[in-house]
Amino acid sequence: MRQGAGVKMSISFSDRVAIVTGAGGGLGRAHALALASRGARVVVNDLGGARDGTGQSSEAAQAVVQEIIDAGGEAIANGANVTQPEEVEAMVASAVERWGRVDILINNAGILRDKTFAKMTLDDFRLVLDVHLMGSVICTKAVWELMRQQAYGRIVMTTSSSGLYGNFGQSNYGAAKMGLVGLMNTLVLEGKKYDIRVNTLAPTAATRMTEDIIPDPKLLELLTPESVATGCLALCHDEAPNRTILCAGAGGYAVSRILETDGIYLPSAQQSPEAVIKHWDAIVDPDGQKELAFGGKQTEKFLTKAAAAKK
Ligand code: NAI
């Protein structure tokens, strides 16, 4: 069935509780405001540090909470550092204490430590992995059991074109961001029975993270965080898709997929690197390429080819 075909015309979050990490500014703020404007009760999490992860302040999250309250919504501020499990567990506990459940987790918090791989220190590599990848793992772990018990959960990871396709100077960030796609792929399988759906957003927006990368103010005006938040909401409502990487920016929406070509089979006597190179055109031929439902499907495909060749 065409995904989205059964979605009701108006999406409401009025009975839902959402946690948005890194929501003191940029995209997280837009996600939190958009969710709250459609009735969600929102935990606005933000450590309040600088773009490189240094420093700490509760002001940004408080300000977003105030915006939500002023607009007639409900929200609480939280200053947990997503890399600290105890702080994250306390954040989830405060949401449960206040509203009794957590339905939606938007893993959005992030930092940058850009440098070419040649110049990058291992500490900068680890820190970026820690915030983006482990931060999302820690927040997801903190709501996972709750969502299983509720038999309901919507989780959004935040990846990046830098992870999906690469970006000069962002090996640490790219590795962390692609790791989130891997995390989604397995959580989808483990969460399915409990109606926990996991999707990934690949945004592009004008925020402090990108303001010096795109210097033209006219282009920056088009890249609104709100246009990305729209995509985020499409990934976390009742009838949301599952295991989808939604790319969003400047009003553009697209899907990114990992596909595997059908490939070839080589009998054991021909399994040489020379033969692989010789058959390269057939190996890379996109005809019949597929998105595999889970890892075992790859083994199944190759064994089916091997068995067919033996007949
Ligand atoms: P931003 O820098 O405005 O927002 C990130 C927020 O995360 C900040 O408010 C920061 O205080 C918070 N944060 C950082 N470390 C934290 C921690 N340990 N615990 C809690 N909060 C923490 O940047 P932006 O652009 O809004 O980024 C949001 C997400 O979108 C990030 O994951 C980023 O990697 C991703 N992204 C953004 C793109 C863009 O074009 N702006 C492109 C691709 C991905």
Side-chain angles (χ1 to χ4, degrees), residues 22 24-28 45-49 80-83 108-111 131-132 158-160 173 177 203-205 207-210:
L27 289 169
N45 159 266
D46 207 294
L47 175 70
N81 180 338
V82 294
T83 67
N108 166 81
I111 60 163
V131 174
H132 289 274
T158 308
T159 187
S160 164
Y173 181 72
K177 288 309 209 185
T204 174
T207 66
R208 69 174 186 177
M209 212 177 247
T210 50

Side-chain angles (χ1 to χ4, degrees), residues 209-226:
M209 212 177 247
T210 50
E211 63 198 358
D212 49 359
I213 301 169
I214 308 162
D216 184 342
K218 284 217 175 68
L219 296 182
L220 285 173
E221 264 176 37
L222 295 172
L223 289 161
T224 62
E226 290 71 24

Side-chain angles (χ1 to χ4, degrees), residues 8 12-19 35 38-42 74 99 101-104 150-154 195 236-238:
K8 51 190 168 208
S12 166
F13 292 93
S14 58
D15 52 350
R16 299 296 175 203
V17 176
I19 295 176
L35 282 162
R38 285 173 182 254
R41 289 157 284 181
V42 185
E74 263 189 86
W99 295 308
R101 53 193 290 127
V102 176
D103 300 288
I104 298 165
Q150 290 170 178
Y152 186 93
R154 299 288 180 266
D195 193 16
C236 64
H237 62 101
D238 284 359

Side-chain angles (χ1 to χ4, degrees), residues 45-110:
N45 159 266
D46 207 294
L47 175 70
R51 189 170 83 164
D52 67 357
T54 53
Q56 201 160 344
S57 154
S58 61
E59 274 171 38
Q62 295 285 4
V64 175
V65 165
Q66 200 53 53
E67 277 188 85
I68 292 174
I69 291 170
D70 290 347
E74 263 189 86
I76 51 174
N78 177 277
N81 180 338
V82 294
T83 67
Q84 301 303 313
E86 309 77 39
E87 294 181 24
V88 169
E89 281 157 24
M91 167 175 73
V92 172
S94 72
V96 173
E97 192 186 321
R98 177 77 179 263
W99 295 308
R101 53 193 290 127
V102 176
D103 300 288
I104 298 165
L105 169 66
I106 312 293
N107 283 310
N108 166 81

Side-chain angles (χ1 to χ4, degrees), residues 73-154:
E74 263 189 86
I76 51 174
N78 177 277
N81 180 338
V82 294
T83 67
Q84 301 303 313
E86 309 77 39
E87 294 181 24
V88 169
E89 281 157 24
M91 167 175 73
V92 172
S94 72
V96 173
E97 192 186 321
R98 177 77 179 263
W99 295 308
R101 53 193 290 127
V102 176
D103 300 288
I104 298 165
L105 169 66
I106 312 293
N107 283 310
N108 166 81
I111 60 163
L112 288 181
R113 291 277 171 108
D114 292 358
K115 274 196 177 73
T116 59
F117 192 61
K119 291 187 183 145
M120 188 174 297
T121 64
L122 290 178
D123 280 347
D124 277 349
F125 205 106
R126 275 204 190 95
L127 184 68
V128 166
L129 279 181
D130 220 25
V131 174
H132 289 274
L133 182 55
M134 284 312 296
S136 300
V137 170
I138 288 165
C139 292
T140 303
K141 183 84 178 145
V143 297
W144 193 251
E145 193 47 43
L146 197 65
M147 287 183 173
R148 274 164 45 107
Q149 281 168 18
Q150 290 170 178
Y152 186 93
R154 299 288 180 266

